[in-house]
């Protein structure tokens, strides 16, 4: 019994550690925070896995990860720290001007602009866009992960996309 549970946890870790890490990295903007929160997610999952009976483990793990992120964000708020400061200040160091083909550089620049714009969105909009666009979650998986009704998922996703497009339009208008 104990061996079976450990095998199941190993399988979960192998399948979901990387996607959870990328999600948490996208949300926190810090590799170290993402690593810590990924570890915390699996610790919490280990504790409550025996109570978990639903089929969609992926959505459940992302929900646990999101809650871990929100807990961490609230802790930092209380300490009057800026959760994305490390990400914002390290941004310039991550951009390499050397040796990249033009297409790759343009694509990278475009991705960074979208990432910067997503950082300007409220947490719920960032989460829903990330889960849908980067993790290819279905509406029902998003519904379960974010504790929303199907209609709320559709409306929130629409509003998030609309807000992202609005921000992109404003930014590109300012650049021209």
């Amino acid at each position: 019994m104990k061996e079976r549970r450990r095998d199941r946890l190993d399988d979960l870790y192998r399948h979901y550690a990387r996607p959870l890490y990328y999600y948490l990295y996208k949300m926190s903007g810090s590799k170290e925070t993402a690593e810590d929160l990924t570890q915390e997610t699996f610790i919490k999952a280990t504790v409550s896995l025996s109570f978990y009976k639903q089929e969609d483990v992926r959505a459940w793990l992302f929900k646990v990860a999101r809650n871990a992120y929100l807990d961490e964000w609230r802790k930092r708020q209380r300490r009057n720290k800026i959760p994305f400061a490390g990400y914002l200040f390290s941004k310039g160091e991550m951009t390499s001007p050397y040796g990249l083909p033009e297409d790759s550089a343009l694509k990278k620049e475009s991705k960074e602009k979208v990432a910067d714009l997503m950082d300007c969105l409220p947490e719920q909009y960032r989460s829903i866009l990330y889960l849908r666009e980067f993790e290819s979650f279905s509406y029902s998986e998003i519904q379960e992960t974010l504790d929303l009704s199907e209609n709320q998922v559709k409306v929130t996703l629409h509003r998030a996309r609309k807000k992202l497009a609005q921000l992109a339009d404003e930014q590109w208008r300012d650049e021209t």
Side-chain angles (χ1 to χ4, degrees):
M1 178 83 168
K2 208 173 191 180
E3 189 68 30
R4 228 174 59 202
R5 185 171 184 223
R6 187 178 328 163
D7 288 345
R8 185 167 183 210
L9 282 171
D10 287 346
D11 287 344
L12 289 176
Y13 189 83
R14 268 193 302 268
H15 282 94
Y16 299 112
R18 186 173 290 272
L20 287 170
Y21 169 79
Y22 286 125
Y23 168 68
L24 292 166
Y25 177 63
K26 192 71 198 153
M27 296 304 293
S28 68
S30 163
K31 291 179 181 178
E32 294 79 20
T33 302
E35 288 171 2
D36 290 346
L37 292 176
T38 301
Q39 184 177 15
E40 188 174 324
T41 299
F42 279 99
I43 289 170
K44 289 180 178 178
T46 302
V47 170
S48 56
L49 186 63
S50 60
F51 302 109
Y52 188 73
K53 302 289 184 219
Q54 295 185 12
E55 293 294 320
D56 195 352
V57 174
R58 182 171 86 146
W60 176 67
L61 283 172
F62 272 83
K63 184 177 185 175
V64 172
R66 180 177 182 249
N67 289 336
Y69 166 75
L70 291 175
D71 288 345
E72 178 64 24
W73 189 79
R74 285 185 202 110
K75 285 180 196 170
R76 289 181 184 214
Q77 284 274 349
R78 278 186 245 134
R79 286 184 250 145
N80 292 327
K81 289 187 176 180
I82 303 169
F84 305 109
Y87 177 72
L88 291 174
F89 293 124
S90 68
K91 196 97 179 101
E93 298 170 8
M94 295 172 60
T95 305
S96 173
Y98 306 108
L100 296 175
E102 186 174 322
D103 289 344
S104 178
L106 289 173
K107 190 175 180 180
K108 183 179 178 184
E109 184 179 328
S110 182
K111 281 184 174 180
E112 288 175 356
K113 284 182 179 179
V114 170
D116 288 343
L117 290 175
M118 283 186 65
D119 287 343
C120 296
L121 294 173
E123 184 278 327
Q124 190 174 28
Y125 286 179
R126 274 185 290 137
S127 280
I128 202 165
L129 280 173
Y130 182 84
L131 294 175
R132 181 68 180 172
E133 304 301 334
F134 293 97
E135 292 295 328
S136 303
F137 270 43
S138 68
Y139 286 155
S140 63
E141 289 174 322
I142 293 171
Q143 183 181 341
E144 185 177 334
T145 303
L146 301 180
D147 284 329
L148 298 172
S149 69
E150 185 177 338
N151 194 38
Q152 287 173 318
V153 168
K154 290 177 182 176
V155 169
T156 305
L157 189 58
H158 173 74
R159 288 178 181 165
R161 286 176 175 154
K162 189 174 177 180
K163 183 68 178 175
L164 185 64
Q166 178 189 356
L167 289 172
D169 189 43
E170 288 171 9
Q171 181 181 359
W172 291 326
R173 197 175 318 135
D174 290 344
E175 290 177 356
T176 57

